[in-house]
Amino acid sequence: MGNSMNNKQIERVPVRVFKSREEGSKYVAREIASLIRSRNASNKKTVLGLATGSSPLEVYRELIRFHKEDGLSFKDVITFNLDEYYPMKPDSDQSYRRFMYEHLFNHIDIARENVNIPDGTLAPDDIDSFCADYDSAIEALGGIDIQILGIGRSGHIGFNEPGSTIATETRLVNLDEVTIEDAAKDFGHKDNVPFRAITMGVKSIIKSKKVFLMAWGEPKADVIRKAVEEGVTDELPASYLQHHEDVLFLLDKGSASKLSRFEYPWLTGICDWNPYMQKKAVIWLARKTKKPVLKLTEEDYKAGGLTSLVRLYGSAYDLNLSIYNQLQRTITGWPGGKPGADDKTRPERSNPFPKRSIVFSPHPDDDVISMGGTFLRLVEQGHEVHVAYQTSGNIAVFDDDAHRFSDFMLGFSKKFGVAEKEIEGLYHQVTGLLKDTRRKGGEHEMVLGIKGLIRQGEAISACRFCGVEESNIHFLNLPFYETGSVKKSPVSQADIDIIKQLLQEVRPHQIYAAGDLHDPHGTHAVCLNAIFEAIEQLKGESWINDCYVWLYRGAWHEWDIEDIEMAVPLSPEELMKKRKAIFKHQSQKDSPVFPGKDKREFWQRAEDRNRATARLYDELGFTEYEAIEAFKRYHF
Ligand code: F6R
């Protein structure tokens, strides 16, 4: 590909990239509202096709606002939802019927008889006729006016999983493995997810007059690139929308990030050669040609469509050197700054030394998993290191562990003759609760309390191992997390105040936080936003403006190399020490309660990731390290 392709030639469906999901959602809500208004004015009905899941949530919020504040009436609106799990009781937490009432219908003036949602309680023999009636009802109304869609990582629209043809109608389907994995977080565990659903077919969706497909956040980036830039295939049902005449894909920066226009803008048109793009392009070329940066030639740049970039520098030699130096300067063994060193080109300032650093850890083990090596270095280099565990992580402990620790308590009190009666009473209470099989997980306060303590003990043990003083360990137990179930409460000022108070007490020079935006509803992203909000509210205080915020990438992803602003190398011994710190989290070892989609243990994932980063630096022509932990600075 040369410079000749533009976005329109590469992208096979109309795409709009919004600054945020809020903006994109407002756009969809406005379109829906204006259609309803014009239909209401001429006494006509509006037929909407609705989706559940996280993608349309803000559209519904905005429609409710239009209803409440602007008097938008839904009396003449008829809705058809895309799908429902099967079997599914309407009042279950995960029921799509319940979802729709909670997030929309209970708050607007729609008539109940105008709401259509596939029925998860049907007897198997009744499903076929129900599905045929569903399609006929849509047909009888003249079809759907506006259909809103999300997209699954499998490429599904509705629950039309890979393999669904363009001729499919409403029917019972099997869910894809990826869909089941993604739904696991709503059901507590993968095994609880129904493996079937009733869904509108591709044909029924494609017949809608107008389609808005929304995708927010990075987890959708891969599937969006395929649906937008690759050909139509039943392996990716969303690609059928390329045949639709009035479809719009609404994306945010995250979901659009893998589109060629952002990944390789130099291939899709005129590129704005800002410093970031220059770095990205050179790294891209080095990886594509499998050459270290300093060995890239004018020929390579030409073949890669990057002649305009070389021209900026005059020669490949000067360009290579500039990017090489930038990358080299990200590497430092002094995450808290090197005392006495010239820090003009170092990621961290030399002064003050030692620094006060706070490591925020969303769960009690993210600190050591994601930045254990850096954490150890900070302590060893004499900084005052504080660790703030944002949530208790209490739902991620097996009952068996709670039982074992209760046994220990009882044994302890008997052996040393301390409070035997009281402890025995408590013991029977807890073990009784643990035996109650009707309980889903450990939602009883007492059981949760014990589980929280188990995780606290593990975190303290890891901190002790790393040399952190006990007075510098802070358990914030943020209230938003304490629901006792997978579903969390929204963050409130109470959460933010707790973080603010700690920041005001410590007045750190450095903050480390988990910058994981991969799952916008996940605990990591919620915890990060709470920190950002706390910082925002503290901006009036002089010390905060002097504080560097370093984001480690939580979970199992690493920053793209062009995003890394500080790379801390680890020796084999340091990596081993980090592994031992992770081992202190015994309740999460072997097979944890929430293993996610990855079969590897947490320490293995961490090591693989840190080794991969080191390998990448090595391949680009830098010193070969055993492992590297990477950070990106948050500039507020
Ligand atoms: C929901 C539906 C699904 C979702 C898709 C994306 O009614 O039909 O296709 O739209 O799984 O889910 P979220 O929006 O939660 O990422």
Side-chain angles (χ1 to χ4, degrees), residues 390-568:
Q390 292 181 272
T391 70
S392 66
N394 57 14
I395 59 166
V397 176
F398 285 110
D399 284 356
D400 187 48
D401 285 331
H403 211 300
R404 190 159 54 90
F405 276 85
S406 306
D407 291 341
F408 176 84
M409 268 305 292
L410 184 65
F412 187 91
S413 86
K414 285 205 167 138
K415 188 167 178 71
F416 300 106
V418 212
E420 278 178 71
K421 266 222 167 71
E422 288 91 330
I423 300 249
E424 193 160 353
L426 286 174
Y427 177 82
H428 288 305
Q429 225 178 315
V430 174
T431 49
L433 286 166
L434 287 169
K435 274 187 204 124
D436 178 2
T437 46
R438 278 166 310 170
R439 230 171 30 94
K440 298 183 247 135
E443 70 274 18
H444 193 280
E445 227 171 277
M446 206 165 168
V447 173
L448 283 174
I450 292 177
K451 292 184 172 182
L453 274 177
I454 293 176
R455 297 214 67 182
Q456 256 191 36
E458 292 168 348
I460 294 172
S461 158
C463 281
R464 201 181 296 126
F465 177 79
C466 294
V468 175
E469 288 186 23
E470 279 197 32
S471 55
N472 293 349
I473 308 173
H474 311 271
F475 292 100
L476 306 186
N477 293 325
L478 295 182
F480 87 88
Y481 183 90
E482 298 302 316
T483 57
S485 76
V486 182
K487 203 167 170 186
K488 307 292 186 296
S489 309
V491 166
S492 69
Q493 189 60 35
D495 298 289
I496 292 158
D497 284 343
I498 294 173
I499 297 174
K500 271 169 74 179
Q501 198 186 335
L502 176 71
L503 288 172
Q504 278 167 317
E505 262 168 45
V506 178
R507 297 181 161 229
H509 305 104
Q510 279 195 318
I511 290 173
Y512 291 86
D516 199 344
L517 302 169
H518 209 78
D519 175 2
H521 295 285
T523 299
H524 284 219
V526 173
C527 283
L528 181 65
N529 287 329
I531 298 173
F532 285 168
E533 185 52 38
I535 291 176
E536 194 58 38
Q537 293 182 15
L538 289 171
K539 262 188 180 162
E541 307 196 10
S542 60
W543 59 270
I544 193 86
N545 298 315
D546 223 20
C547 175
Y548 277 21
V549 179
W550 291 104
L551 303 179
Y552 55 90
R553 191 131 194 225
W556 321 116
H557 303 91
E558 193 48 278
W559 298 114
D560 285 335
I561 190 152
E562 57 268 25
D563 288 322
I564 297 174
E565 287 173 82
M566 178 158 77
V568 182

Side-chain angles (χ1 to χ4, degrees), residues 50-56 81-83 96 149-153 156-159 179 220:
L50 301 180
T52 53
S54 61
S55 308
N81 260 82
L82 282 167
D83 40 24
Y96 281 172
L149 297 174
I151 179 170
R153 284 193 311 127
H156 70 213
I157 45 176
F159 274 138
T179 303
K220 299 287 169 72

